């Protein structure tokens, strides 16, 4: 039976952290066996809010791929490619831009949330490119015939926007494009070390997959604990402690139970508890860190993965673009695009 095709990706704007790992990477490692998976390094999309800092985007392309391979994404099973090297995506974005209104983009809840986070205001400092990134994302998915898109609930409006564009396209030009389904990720968003709902570089509350043991220890020692606990024998509440929260991710079931019981009974010191957690995170991430160190010493591996992946994705995109142009009556002079 033919495997369904997944298209997903990330913007190359920084190294990946444990929030990315539990939020999406762990899923992608699992899904690469069940689906035909394409992962795009979304450099064009990264420029929507980094257009004045192209160095940052370029420098993070390899970092991102090193994180992918370190955590178990296998280039034999998953095609990893660079978005800007598939010009068909840009072309399709233009065609799609006629099929969506500005008002609809302004109403997109994901766009609204991002704008609020960046403190941007409609009509003032929003670029055409930023407002249109859901259209570009729809082109990314459909130019490769994406059937399934793994995403969290917060990304659902973007997939719905893509589905709307596809329906509109097919209703005007004929049944050419596949309407993708969302694959809702089971893993919730991972909170930051400071208790913030989001983990992120700009918030300074993240543990990166590539952090050294020293960095991990330093960061864990700064994590927020139960504020009512002053002395070691004060009765604690692990439900309000970020250290206990991370123990749930990195510590075995029995040891986790012990952490919570001892905390509640006032028999566990926060410093020792943090040191234990730091050690567990260090051990958990050790294989990824070691693989990354190897890849850092062998950049030719990353180049090969990207070159081969991009060539494969380009071939797929060309096939689909040919059908799109035929449907849109843009196939002048025969198969000029073959
Ligand atoms: Fe948190 Fe551990 Fe301190 Fe309890 S003992 S408050 S779980 S750091």
């Amino acid at each position: 039976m033919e495997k369904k095709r997944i298209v997903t990706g990330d913007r190359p704007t920084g190294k990946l952290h444990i929030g990315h790992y539990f939020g999406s990477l762990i899923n992608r490692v699992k899904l690469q066996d069940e689906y035909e998976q394409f992962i795009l390094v979304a450099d064009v999309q990264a420029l929507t809010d980094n257009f004045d800092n192209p160095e940052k985007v370029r420098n993070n392309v390899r970092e991102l791929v090193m994180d992918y391979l370190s955590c178990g994404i296998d280039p034999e099973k998953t095609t990893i490619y660079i978005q800007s090297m598939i010009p068909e995506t840009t072309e399709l974005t233009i065609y799609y831009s006629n099929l969506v209104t500005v008002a609809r983009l302004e109403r997109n809840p994901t766009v609204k949330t991002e704008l609020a986070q960046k403190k941007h205001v409609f009509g003032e400092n929003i670029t055409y490119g930023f407002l249109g990134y859901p259209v570009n994302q729809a082109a990314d998915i459909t130019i490769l015939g994406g059937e399934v898109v793994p995403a969290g609930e917060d990304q659902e409006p973007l997939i719905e926007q893509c589905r709307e564009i596809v329906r509109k396209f097919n209703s005007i030009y004929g049944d050419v494009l596949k309407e993708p389904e969302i694959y809702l990720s089971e893993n919730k968003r991972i909170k930051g070390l400071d208790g913030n709902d989001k983990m992120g570089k700009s918030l300074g509350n993240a543990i990166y997959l590539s952090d050294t043991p020293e960095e991990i220890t330093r960061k864990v020692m700064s994590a927020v604990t139960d504020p009512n606990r002053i002395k070691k024998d004060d009765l604690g509440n692990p439900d309000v402690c970020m250290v206990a929260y991370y123990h749930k991710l990195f510590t075995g079931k029995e040891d986790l139970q012990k952490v919570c019981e001892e905390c509640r009974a006032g028999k566990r010191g926060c410093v020792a508890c943090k040191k234990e957690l730091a050690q567990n995170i260090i051990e958990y991430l050790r294989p990824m860190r070691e693989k990354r160190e190897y890849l850092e010493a062998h950049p030719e591996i990353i180049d090969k993965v990207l070159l081969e992946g991009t060539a494969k994705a380009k071939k797929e995109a060309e096939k689909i673009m040919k059908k799109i142009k035929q449907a849109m009556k843009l196939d002048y002079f025969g198969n000029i695009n073959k």
Side-chain angles (χ1 to χ4, degrees):
M1 212 175 72
E2 240 181 57
K3 288 179 176 175
K4 282 196 171 181
R5 183 172 292 180
I6 280 183
V7 179
T8 183
D10 297 289
R11 295 178 182 187
T13 51
K15 291 180 177 178
L16 300 183
H17 51 62
I18 58 172
H20 295 115
Y21 180 73
F22 289 104
S24 65
L25 299 175
I26 219 170
N27 244 334
R28 291 181 190 169
V29 172
K30 202 170 69 187
L31 294 172
Q32 66 185 350
D33 289 318
E34 299 162 39
Y35 293 86
E36 185 192 12
Q37 185 163 248
F38 283 78
I39 300 184
L40 73 128
V41 179
D43 58 344
V44 178
Q45 248 187 59
L47 287 172
T48 53
D49 45 11
N50 291 282
F51 58 87
D52 52 353
N53 193 359
E55 282 298 316
K56 174 183 167 188
V57 175
R58 187 184 175 96
N59 293 340
N60 276 302
V61 169
R62 281 191 177 77
E63 295 291 336
L64 186 61
V65 180
M66 277 195 278
D67 279 335
Y68 286 159
L69 302 194
S70 317
C71 76
I73 291 175
D74 178 356
E76 295 292 322
K77 300 175 182 172
T78 295
T79 306
I80 304 172
Y81 64 100
I82 299 181
Q83 186 189 24
S84 63
M85 291 177 75
I86 314 292
E88 287 78 5
T89 310
T90 322
E91 187 178 355
L92 188 55
T93 304
I94 298 285
Y95 301 152
Y96 282 173
S97 64
N98 293 322
L99 308 181
V100 57
T101 63
V102 172
R104 175 65 182 90
L105 288 169
E106 286 177 348
R107 279 200 310 272
N108 186 309
T110 311
V111 173
K112 276 165 86 173
T113 308
E114 278 188 51
L115 288 177
Q117 279 165 357
K118 293 176 203 298
K119 299 193 170 42
H120 285 343
V121 183
F122 281 125
E124 289 183 22
N125 48 1
I126 313 299
T127 62
Y128 165 62
F130 182 84
L131 190 62
Y133 94 80
V135 183
N136 182 233
Q137 201 175 68
D140 282 325
I141 298 166
T142 51
I143 197 63
L144 282 181
E147 295 165 288
V148 179
V149 183
E153 273 173 22
D154 56 336
Q155 298 283 306
E156 224 172 341
L158 294 176
I159 314 302
E160 194 42 49
Q161 181 106 62
C162 173
R163 289 161 60 85
E164 271 177 40
I165 292 173
V166 168
R167 286 197 292 272
K168 184 110 188 229
F169 183 99
N170 286 348
S171 73
I172 299 169
Y173 304 111
D175 217 1
V176 175
L177 300 171
K178 290 180 181 167
E179 205 177 311
E181 306 158 19
I182 185 165
Y183 176 100
L184 267 180
S185 157
E186 298 156 22
N187 299 297
K188 292 212 174 81
R189 174 174 279 175
I190 304 300
K191 291 184 184 181
L193 289 158
D194 55 356
N196 192 307
D197 271 348
K198 202 175 168 206
M199 182 176 271
K201 190 179 179 185
S202 53
L203 300 164
N205 62 2
I207 295 176
Y208 292 92
L209 301 179
S210 51
D211 275 349
T212 62
E214 294 70 32
E215 283 167 329
I216 294 172
T217 306
R218 182 180 52 75
K219 287 178 179 180
V220 171
M221 297 314 279
S222 73
V224 169
T225 58
D226 176 357
N228 293 322
R229 212 161 175 249
I230 314 290
K231 300 191 297 304
K232 185 185 166 184
D233 53 0
D234 285 341
L235 305 188
N237 179 5
D239 296 338
V240 297
C241 171
M242 291 315 296
V243 178
Y245 175 87
Y246 290 116
H247 267 300
K248 285 182 194 139
L249 298 169
F250 294 100
T251 302
K253 216 171 167 189
E254 271 177 33
D255 286 342
L256 171 66
Q257 204 177 339
K258 195 171 146 213
V259 167
C260 295
E261 281 171 7
E262 288 182 357
C263 174
R264 288 186 206 284
K267 291 184 177 163
R268 164 170 284 259
C270 291
V271 171
C273 193
K274 286 176 170 178
K275 282 187 179 162
E276 192 181 322
L277 171 66
Q279 204 47 43
N280 291 352
I281 299 177
I282 290 166
E283 285 313 312
Y284 191 100
L285 298 182
R286 185 183 299 282
M288 295 182 216
R289 203 168 43 248
E290 286 174 355
K291 182 138 189 217
R292 201 178 205 285
E293 279 165 14
Y294 178 80
L295 293 168
E296 279 168 5
H298 295 86
E300 70 281 2
I301 297 177
I302 304 299
D303 289 355
K304 186 168 180 278
V305 165
L306 282 171
L307 279 167
E308 289 180 0
T310 303
K312 183 176 168 187
K314 175 95 174 79
K315 225 167 157 184
E316 291 297 308
E318 282 170 4
K319 267 197 268 174
I320 294 181
M321 181 51 80
K322 200 168 155 187
K323 290 186 197 165
I324 289 170
K325 291 186 100 166
Q326 274 168 357
M328 295 182 74
K329 314 288 181 217
L330 296 171
D331 55 336
Y332 306 109
F333 310 114
N335 292 331
I336 207 160
N337 292 314
K338 75 184 167 197

